[in-house]
Amino acid sequence: NLKGSSCIILLEKCISSNVAIRPASSSCPWSPRWNEYFLHHKSWELLQEGGVLPLITKRRNKIGGFVILMQDDERAIFAKFAKSQKEERFPSLLYSVVIYQVLSRADGIFVDIHMESSRSTFYPFHSKHKSTTFSSIHEQVKRRDKDCARNVRSRTNLMTALDRSIVRPNLASFHPNGANQAEDVMRLIKLATCTKRKLRFFNGSSSANDLLCHMTKDYITSDSFQTQAAKLTIDENQVILRYSGSWFIMRVDWYVLSLVCLELKDQVHCEEGRTQCFRHLSFFTVGFIDLYQSDDDLNYNALNLDDTSAGGNEHCGESEIATEIESAHAANFARACYLALRDTLAPITSLQADEVEYALSSCSFTEVLRTFVSVEDLSAHLSSHEQTMTGTKLGAVIGTLLQVVPGSNDEIFFYHGAEIACLDELTTNNTPDDVHDDFIADDVESFSVEQTVEEGETCFPHRPPPDSDNPPLFFRFTLDQKLVSFNEILTLKKSAMLAAQVSVFIQGKKLPPSHAAVVSKLQNALNSFASEQTLEKFRYLGRSLTENDFKVVMGNVTKTKHHSLVMPLEFFISRSSLLVPADNPTGSNENDLDHGFSILMEELDRAAFTVRASHESFLVLDDSASRVVLPYWSFIQVRKPRGCIIVRVHHPLGEAAAQEQAKVTQKLVKSICDKTNQLLLLDSLYSTKNASDLLIPEEEEPTEDKREANSTATYSCPVQHRTAIPLHRRCAPQQAILEVETTILQNFVISNRRSIFVYKDESSSIFYMKLNWNKISDAEDTEQNPHIIELLVHGCDKPGPLITDQLVSLLRRKLLTLTLDALSNLLKKNPFFNLLSSDLAFIKTFSNASNASREVDHSSTLPDCTRTYVLPPHVQDPLILLLMFRQNICGSTFIQHLHHESCSDESDAIQIDEDQGDIGIISFSKLPDFQFYFNSSPSQLDPNYQAMVTLTGKGREYARQAGSGIAIIEVNLQHGNNSKCQIHVGKKADAMNRKLRVSKSDISLCADESAKHHDQFSISVQITNTTVDIDVIHKWVALSLSQVLAAWSIERHLESARLGLLYIEKKECAQNEMINTMSKFTSFNEALPGLQALEDMVTVASGLPHPAIASVE
């Protein structure tokens, strides 16, 4: 259709029929036709790239002026009218046809160009004709085609890195050769449009700038970046057309890509007296259509490499990319600032105010907590710039977690604490195991936490992941909604509401885990500060604390810096005879564990160092603690569900002091826990009569050198009472212990332990006891007691009087009785045994020792130990009478003469006055050799000494009534009230010779009435008793004296009758004549003087009775 053509050229001849088409298959042979030698023809091969053919087709048609003759996926044929330079004189010959064909095959891209030969030129195809039209067209088209193919190849190479970035392999594996990438980048940036942006960096802090640079580079290659991008492996120090740094490739759209260079060199810009540091971010944007340019077409000097504007030449997609990077860079600037401040090796110490302002420009602050700060001291009277005690403490609390950001006018703080595992800590702090716990405060604040941290990660990595919304941890504080600096906090002078605000990127979202963890720590720190103020106030209440006060105190202890430890509990179970952990009850053990817990609580209530705070908590104060002003807070909590005791100690002097006090508390509580198990073991011991190895170990047989086992069980009870009882040398210790165990302690014996006994006293306290004997090391003298019997009472409490008094008294009496029995048996076998002074002392002190070991009512009348008997007046020489008494009483087999070691003194001396060689007067204070002993076990009489037993029926009755034991009888003779007694040997009184009749009173003992019998002899009988009936012994002695007095009187009467000394006074007879009945006795007396008196004496003696007189009817 020629209607629309503006210019029609008429060719002289057609050349298309002479052009051979190159075959599409490489297997088909191809050679030019013979008539093609009349045409200009050139061919060349291009780099095989998929986009070359479409690009050439588009450029040839729209820019080169070629007409498309034929086009498909593999081939394109173009034609063009080329104006000849040498045919200007022939207008009809100005234009020649140029046919251009390009073929894309598997083995390459082939280009063929044909043009008709020039007229009037010899050898037109010779190589010397280089200035022809065809040569110019050939060189230009060939150069453009090859450069285009190279550009496409470079784009393809770089796009390969971009496409592989979707899989996110290691960036170093995108291109094996960074130098090739540099060549590709240099080729493409020649064709690109350059724009620049300034990114803000820190002034003078290389570490912070490096960190910020890494963050920006990581963000560009992260999934959060909205544009597909990849980092090239070009050396950052390599200069490419005056650019060096980190190179990135970005896909702006399907046909447009941008090469981005983040420069590493800091540049300084001064504005309004402030110095700002920045780095260029250069964008080189190139479209696919821009690749068909030749290097010769580019004027390198004309390249606007220093253009920093984002004007009309900037691609719209590139502008959005740059804006996104700038926005992310601002957030990274805040992160880098925060991390640089937290750097432990080389922290940033100075920041400009505009840097802090820029860092906070991407952040907003949200209020996360508030607490009321009470000021109750005299701080209001201080100057405005003077720090207060409350402000200093509050500042110290804040300073434990936060630090002032330099350059922020002391108004911005950053977290400088240790890195923590956020989720673990939040779970630990905000998930109490028991809502009824006394130490769980009611006002614990919970935070909405975004669970984005995987298990094991920390909240504060050195460089946060670029795709995480993890803002820096900057804080600021307000007092009564007014923003304050750190100095204003230190100078706080009135009570106010303190609020903390934390930095976030987006308002209204949940706090990141790092923020929630730090806010929780800050909340705990501020709560700890408020709680410490509360505890300090309650400390001065001392013992006046009420239940509500304790509730407040316990709720505040856990918020402060305190030391806590857990003590697991275990209780002895009698049913299984084992210690069972309290946190793992099984089946029937649950009731037993409940019993253990109840005993534990009772013991904690009874302890002197505990004060009940709640149903399961106690305040523990050691002996050194004041009860008026409490020096510390030490609580124990019995956690029955967990089977443990939790110790919590807060000390005003700090954590070190709290830790030391916790050890003291733990030791005190452990003693209570041990005592609880001891009580359980004692209860089982008493009820089963079987001892556990936990309470009483199995002991070896005691020996002479080792009588008490050294081994102790885990819960052996301490010795609560110890009594040492001396053992007399006459008693063997083994036999004594055996006798005591088989008599007194028989009902308390334990079946599986030897010589161990269990007893429950009047207060229901249970004890176990054992007897040991020890040899006294310094007992060398045979007179001393070489052994002691020791009673050991083991238990948890002090024993009562039933053990300390009654049982000990019973044991003492038993041991005394055993010694007494030993002496009794010894005297029974040998009545002439010479007792040692220790034996005699034992007998003499027996009564006092026995009475001291029992409860004696001293108000009751005690038996009289000494009795005095007055002899009749006619007894003037009682020496023979006493000798007869000794013989008579020793013939009873129960009472024997006492033989013992002589311990005589001056009072025992006898003075003898002789008269012409005969003994005249005997003087003494104490009658010697008149000591006897009563033994309930009678001895056999020595026939050589006395052949006849003087024991009468009355004496046998007294022997039965006297009981068992030994008694010492001491007989002494006295004359009136004189201290010394004088006996006139042979002195006689004839008063009895003149009596017709003898009454009983004449030959009987009289009562001791000193006033009436001041000139008469008296006999004193002193009895030292042990266990016999002293009244019976006195009666027995009195009987023997009466028998002897009667016998002595009869012998004297008979002697007087033989000597004719008997007579009756007339006066007396005259008086008797008045009585008729007396006439008969007078007649007999005249016939046989003294017969009637003898009859009276025999009658009186027979009634005593007397062993030598018998009455027969």
Side-chain angles (χ1 to χ4, degrees):
N1 187 7
L2 302 180
K3 292 182 178 180
S5 300
S6 58
C7 180
I8 299 176
I9 300 175
L10 180 61
L11 297 178
E12 184 179 354
K13 59 181 178 180
C14 180
I15 67 170
S16 60
S17 59
N18 298 322
V19 177
I21 303 301
R22 189 183 294 269
S25 176
S26 59
S27 60
C28 298
W30 177 80
S31 61
R33 299 178 182 177
W34 66 270
N35 51 3
E36 286 191 19
Y37 292 101
F38 296 99
L39 301 175
H40 292 286
H41 174 241
K42 291 292 183 179
S43 63
W44 60 89
E45 187 175 353
L46 302 179
L47 295 175
Q48 175 64 30
E49 290 297 337
V52 174
L53 181 59
L55 180 61
I56 291 177
T57 300
K58 188 173 183 179
R59 297 294 293 190
R60 287 283 177 267
N61 179 251
K62 294 186 176 181
I63 300 178
F66 284 87
V67 179
I68 301 176
L69 302 180
M70 179 273 218
Q71 181 184 9
D72 57 20
D73 294 338
E74 298 177 350
R75 186 191 306 272
I77 300 176
F78 307 89
K80 181 181 181 181
F81 297 102
K83 186 175 182 181
S84 178
Q85 298 176 1
K86 295 184 179 181
E87 302 295 338
E88 295 180 359
R89 62 183 183 273
F90 304 103
S92 61
L93 302 177
L94 283 177
Y95 294 93
S96 298
V97 177
V98 179
I99 297 179
Y100 174 91
Q101 59 175 324
V102 55
L103 174 64
S104 177
R105 297 192 316 198
D107 56 343
I109 297 177
F110 302 94
V111 179
D112 293 279
I113 188 170
H114 296 78
M115 182 178 175
E116 57 184 331
S117 60
S118 301
R119 295 175 177 269
S120 304
T121 302
F122 294 100
Y123 304 104
F125 307 110
H126 197 274
S127 58
K128 67 179 181 178
H129 299 291
K130 296 182 178 180
S131 60
T132 62
T133 302
F134 178 75
S135 298
S136 176
I137 293 175
H138 163 256
E139 292 297 332
Q140 183 179 6
V141 172
K142 179 180 179 181
R143 185 176 64 252
R144 286 181 178 274
D145 288 349
K146 286 187 173 291
D147 288 341
C148 176
R150 293 190 190 99
N151 295 338
V152 173
R153 171 61 62 88
S154 296
R155 181 182 185 275
T156 302
N157 291 339
L158 297 178
M159 291 295 291
T160 301
L162 187 64
D163 293 338
R164 291 182 182 179
S165 66
I166 301 176
V167 189
R168 296 302 302 274
N170 188 355
L171 293 177
S173 64
F174 281 176
H175 203 289
N177 192 344
N180 293 339
Q181 281 192 348
E183 293 177 1
D184 294 336
V185 168
M186 185 172 60
R187 176 170 294 277
L188 292 184
I189 65 175
K190 296 177 181 178
L191 311 175
T193 302
C194 177
T195 58
K196 295 183 179 181
R197 294 291 180 95
K198 292 181 180 180
L199 298 182
R200 181 73 179 271
F201 277 79
F202 296 93
N203 188 13
S205 178
S206 59
S207 60
N209 286 339
D210 292 342
L211 185 61
L212 176 57
C213 184
H214 281 297
M215 288 183 181
T216 302
K217 291 189 292 185
D218 290 345
Y219 176 76
I220 293 175
T221 57
S222 67
D223 294 336
S224 298
F225 192 43
Q226 300 298 322
T227 302
Q228 185 181 359
K231 187 177 182 300
L232 301 179
T233 58
I234 301 174
D235 186 4
E236 294 181 349
N237 296 321
Q238 182 177 355
V239 179
I240 302 176
L241 296 180
R242 294 183 293 176
Y243 289 90
S244 63
S246 299
W247 288 89
F248 303 88
I249 181 172
M250 302 179 187
R251 188 192 296 272
V252 180
D253 57 27
W254 187 254
Y255 296 102
V256 180
L257 59 85
S258 181
L259 298 174
V260 181
C261 178
L262 177 59
E263 297 182 8
L264 302 181
K265 181 180 179 181
D266 295 336
Q267 299 187 32
V268 178
H269 173 69
C270 294
E271 182 179 354
E272 297 180 358
R274 294 183 299 177
T275 302
Q276 293 184 356
C277 180
F278 68 91
R279 294 183 185 181
H280 275 132
L281 182 67
S282 303
F283 292 85
F284 299 92
T285 305
V286 57
F288 190 79
I289 198 66
D290 298 329
L291 300 180
Y292 194 82
Q293 296 186 43
S294 174
D295 294 344
D296 297 337
D297 298 337
L298 299 174
N299 183 4
Y300 302 114
N301 295 327
L303 286 175
N304 190 9
L305 300 180
D306 296 327
D307 185 16
T308 60
S309 64
N313 293 330
E314 188 178 74
H315 194 277
C316 61
E318 175 191 320
S319 176
E320 296 176 357
I321 294 172
T323 302
E324 180 183 356
I325 294 176
E326 287 178 333
S327 176
H329 179 79
N332 287 333
F333 189 91
R335 292 192 183 101
C337 178
Y338 170 68
L339 294 178
L341 289 169
R342 284 179 50 84
D343 190 3
T344 56
L345 298 178
I348 187 171
T349 58
S350 63
L351 288 172
Q352 297 179 358
D354 59 331
E355 290 177 337
V356 177
E357 182 180 357
Y358 181 72
L360 299 179
S361 63
S362 60
C363 302
S364 59
F365 286 89
T366 180
E367 184 176 308
V368 289
L369 59 91
R370 60 173 55 197
T371 184
F372 183 76
V373 180
S374 176
V375 179
E376 297 181 357
D377 51 19
L378 302 177
S379 302
H381 300 283
L382 300 176
S383 61
S384 59
H385 300 289
E386 192 170 352
Q387 295 183 2
T388 62
M389 182 181 298
T390 303
T392 303
K393 291 182 178 180
L394 180 59
V397 171
I398 296 175
T400 58
L401 297 175
L402 307 180
Q403 190 172 334
V404 174
V405 176
S408 65
N409 197 22
D410 292 345
E411 294 180 351
I412 306 299
F413 302 79
F414 71 95
Y415 173 72
H416 71 95
E419 298 179 0
I420 55 176
C422 312
L423 296 184
D424 294 341
E425 180 156 331
L426 286 175
T427 303
T428 303
N429 291 341
N430 295 334
T431 309
D433 57 350
D434 189 354
V435 295
H436 301 292
D437 194 342
D438 294 336
F439 292 86
I440 298 299
D442 298 332
D443 57 347
V444 174
E445 184 175 354
S446 60
F447 300 96
S448 179
V449 182
E450 184 179 3
Q451 306 289 347
T452 59
V453 179
E454 297 181 0
E455 184 177 0
E457 293 186 11
T458 60
C459 294
F460 310 108
H462 178 68
R463 208 168 73 213
D467 54 348
S468 66
D469 184 17
N470 191 21
L473 279 164
F474 292 120
F475 286 85
R476 66 185 185 186
F477 293 93
T478 62
L479 287 173
D480 290 338
Q481 299 182 355
K482 178 185 176 182
L483 187 65
V484 293
S485 64
F486 188 59
N487 185 60
E488 290 175 316
I489 293 176
L490 296 177
T491 58
L492 179 64
K493 294 180 176 58
K494 64 176 183 177
S495 301
M497 180 64 68
L498 177 71
Q501 300 176 355
V502 68
S503 59
V504 293
F505 284 147
I506 302 176
Q507 286 278 11
K509 290 187 64 176
K510 295 181 180 179
L511 287 179
S514 60
H515 287 53
V518 174
V519 168
S520 178
K521 293 181 68 174
L522 182 59
Q523 175 73 70
N524 293 335
L526 293 176
N527 288 343
S528 176
F529 168 75
S531 298
E532 287 179 1
Q533 287 185 313
T534 302
L535 295 180
E536 189 69 15
K537 179 178 65 175
F538 279 99
R539 234 175 18 95
Y540 289 89
L541 296 180
R543 282 194 174 275
S544 61
L545 289 168
T546 63
E547 182 179 354
N548 292 331
D549 294 338
F550 274 120
K551 184 177 181 181
V552 175
V553 170
M554 290 187 294
N556 283 277
V557 164
T558 53
K559 299 179 183 179
T560 63
K561 292 182 179 179
H562 66 284
H563 184 75
S564 62
L565 51 89
V566 178
M567 299 175 60
L569 291 176
E570 54 183 5
F571 295 110
F572 175 77
I573 303 302
S574 177
R575 201 173 312 180
S576 59
S577 298
L578 295 173
L579 287 173
V580 176
D583 61 344
N584 187 23
T586 55
S588 59
N589 290 334
E590 293 186 9
N591 293 331
D592 297 325
L593 289 178
D594 290 340
H595 179 60
F597 274 109
S598 63
I599 293 180
L600 176 62
M601 298 300 288
E602 291 175 1
E603 290 303 315
L604 288 173
D605 264 332
R606 292 173 52 191
F609 54 83
T610 60
V611 179
R612 191 70 175 250
S614 68
H615 71 286
E616 63 176 12
S617 301
F618 298 84
L619 175 66
V620 180
L621 298 172
D622 59 13
D623 295 336
S624 62
S626 171
R627 268 53 175 177
V628 179
V629 178
L630 302 181
Y632 53 81
W633 295 103
S634 178
F635 286 97
I636 61 171
Q637 183 183 18
V638 182
R639 302 294 291 121
K640 186 176 179 181
R642 294 173 55 184
C644 67
I645 292 179
I646 303 177
V647 180
R648 297 179 176 90
V649 178
H650 168 76
H651 205 291
L653 299 181
E655 295 185 11
Q659 187 172 1
E660 290 298 324
Q661 189 59 42
K663 294 179 181 178
V664 176
T665 302
Q666 183 182 20
K667 185 177 180 180
L668 294 174
V669 174
K670 186 178 184 303
S671 65
I672 296 296
C673 296
D674 292 344
K675 183 178 180 181
T676 299
N677 278 314
Q678 288 171 344
L679 291 173
L680 293 173
L681 286 163
L682 289 174
D683 186 64
S684 174
L685 177 68
Y686 182 77
S687 59
T688 63
K689 295 298 188 294
N690 284 319
S692 170
D693 294 335
L694 296 171
L695 181 65
I696 306 175
E698 295 184 2
E699 300 179 354
E700 299 178 355
E701 185 71 24
T703 61
E704 182 71 20
D705 298 331
K706 184 179 179 181
R707 298 178 183 88
E708 186 175 356
N710 293 326
S711 60
T712 57
T714 304
Y715 294 103
S716 294
C717 294
V719 177
Q720 298 290 352
H721 182 75
R722 185 190 300 265
T723 298
I725 305 175
L727 186 64
H728 197 269
R729 60 187 304 275
R730 298 295 181 188
C731 193
Q734 296 91 338
Q735 295 177 355
I737 291 178
L738 181 62
E739 181 68 20
V740 170
E741 291 177 349
T742 55
T743 55
I744 298 177
L745 302 178
Q746 177 64 33
N747 295 331
F748 313 121
V749 68
I750 296 176
S751 61
N752 63 341
R753 293 291 186 273
R754 177 172 44 84
S755 301
I756 304 293
F757 308 89
V758 62
Y759 183 77
K760 180 185 286 188
D761 67 359
E762 67 275 13
S763 62
S764 298
S765 298
I766 301 174
F767 305 90
Y768 63 91
M769 305 171 291
K770 55 184 175 181
L771 293 172
N772 294 324
W773 65 273
N774 296 311
K775 186 175 182 179
I776 302 176
S777 58
D778 57 351
E780 298 178 355
D781 189 0
T782 56
E783 289 293 317
Q784 295 183 358
N785 298 328
H787 302 102
I788 60 171
I789 300 296
E790 189 174 32
L791 172 66
L792 301 178
V793 181
H794 298 259
C796 296
D797 303 307
K798 293 295 182 182
L802 283 180
I803 293 178
T804 59
D805 296 337
Q806 297 185 22
L807 178 60
V808 172
S809 299
L810 191 61
L811 293 177
R812 289 182 184 275
R813 291 198 301 272
K814 183 62 178 178
L815 293 177
L816 290 174
T817 303
L818 291 177
T819 304
L820 189 65
D821 291 344
L823 285 174
S824 178
N825 292 332
L826 181 63
L827 294 175
K828 176 183 178 180
K829 295 177 182 179
N830 184 8
F832 300 101
F833 182 78
N834 192 16
L835 294 178
L836 300 176
S837 59
S838 61
D839 300 331
L840 196 60
F842 169 78
I843 296 174
K844 289 183 177 181
T845 59
F846 182 91
S847 181
N848 292 332
S850 179
N851 291 333
S853 61
R854 70 176 71 189
E855 295 182 359
V856 179
D857 185 7
H858 297 283
S859 62
S860 62
T861 303
L862 296 177
D864 190 6
C865 297
T866 304
R867 296 184 183 181
T868 303
Y869 305 99
V870 181
L871 297 177
H874 66 272
V875 179
Q876 297 296 321
D877 182 11
L879 183 60
I880 300 300
L881 185 146
L882 291 175
L883 294 175
M884 292 175 62
F885 167 72
R886 183 171 65 182
Q887 184 179 11
N888 178 63
I889 200 168
C890 289
S892 64
T893 69
F894 286 93
I895 299 176
Q896 301 290 342
H897 184 258
L898 179 64
H899 300 272
H900 63 91
E901 293 180 345
S902 177
C903 297
S904 61
D905 53 14
E906 295 182 358
S907 62
D908 298 335
I910 299 177
Q911 296 180 1
I912 301 176
D913 296 334
E914 296 182 358
D915 183 11
Q916 297 180 359
D918 296 330
I919 298 175
I921 299 175
I922 300 175
S923 301
F924 54 86
S925 297
K926 183 177 181 180
L927 187 64
D929 204 23
F930 267 81
Q931 291 181 328
F932 310 92
Y933 69 87
F934 167 81
N935 187 8
S936 58
S937 299
S939 304
Q940 298 294 328
L941 288 178
D942 186 359
N944 296 324
Y945 178 73
Q946 185 171 348
M948 182 178 178
V949 178
T950 61
L951 190 65
T952 62
K954 194 68 172 178
R956 291 186 183 89
E957 181 182 352
Y958 287 154
R960 291 191 300 269
Q961 293 175 356
S964 62
I966 298 176
I968 296 178
I969 305 171
E970 297 184 39
V971 179
N972 195 23
L973 183 64
Q974 296 178 351
H975 185 255
N977 298 327
N978 300 324
S979 59
K980 279 190 175 184
C981 181
Q982 291 183 349
I983 300 177
H984 295 269
V985 180
K987 184 179 180 180
K988 300 179 181 178
D990 56 353
M992 290 293 294
N993 296 334
R994 300 192 300 268
K995 287 190 175 185
L996 177 63
R997 300 293 301 271
V998 176
S999 65
K1000 184 177 179 180
S1001 61
D1002 293 333
I1003 60 173
S1004 299
L1005 301 175
C1006 301
D1008 183 13
E1009 297 180 6
S1010 301
K1012 298 180 180 181
H1013 309 286
H1014 61 277
D1015 197 28
Q1016 294 178 238
F1017 286 98
S1018 61
I1019 296 176
S1020 65
V1021 179
Q1022 181 180 0
I1023 299 177
T1024 302
N1025 188 25
T1026 56
T1027 58
V1028 299
D1029 190 342
I1030 193 171
D1031 290 332
V1032 175
I1033 301 299
H1034 272 297
K1035 291 178 182 180
W1036 199 341
V1037 172
L1039 174 63
S1040 181
L1041 285 174
S1042 298
Q1043 291 173 346
V1044 170
L1045 180 58
W1048 182 84
S1049 298
I1050 293 173
E1051 291 294 334
R1052 286 290 185 184
H1053 186 74
L1054 292 176
E1055 181 184 5
S1056 297
R1058 286 193 303 270
L1059 296 177
L1061 300 177
L1062 299 177
Y1063 63 94
I1064 301 175
E1065 295 181 353
K1066 298 298 184 176
K1067 181 178 180 180
E1068 183 180 350
C1069 294
Q1071 295 175 352
N1072 291 334
E1073 289 178 355
M1074 297 175 65
I1075 305 174
N1076 295 330
T1077 57
M1078 295 296 294
S1079 58
K1080 182 179 179 181
F1081 296 134
T1082 304
S1083 301
F1084 279 112
N1085 190 53
E1086 290 177 352
L1088 295 174
L1091 179 62
Q1092 189 63 45
L1094 178 62
E1095 180 185 4
D1096 294 337
M1097 292 181 186
V1098 171
T1099 302
V1100 172
S1102 175
L1104 290 176
H1106 195 282
I1109 299 176
S1111 178
V1112 178
E1113 294 183 357

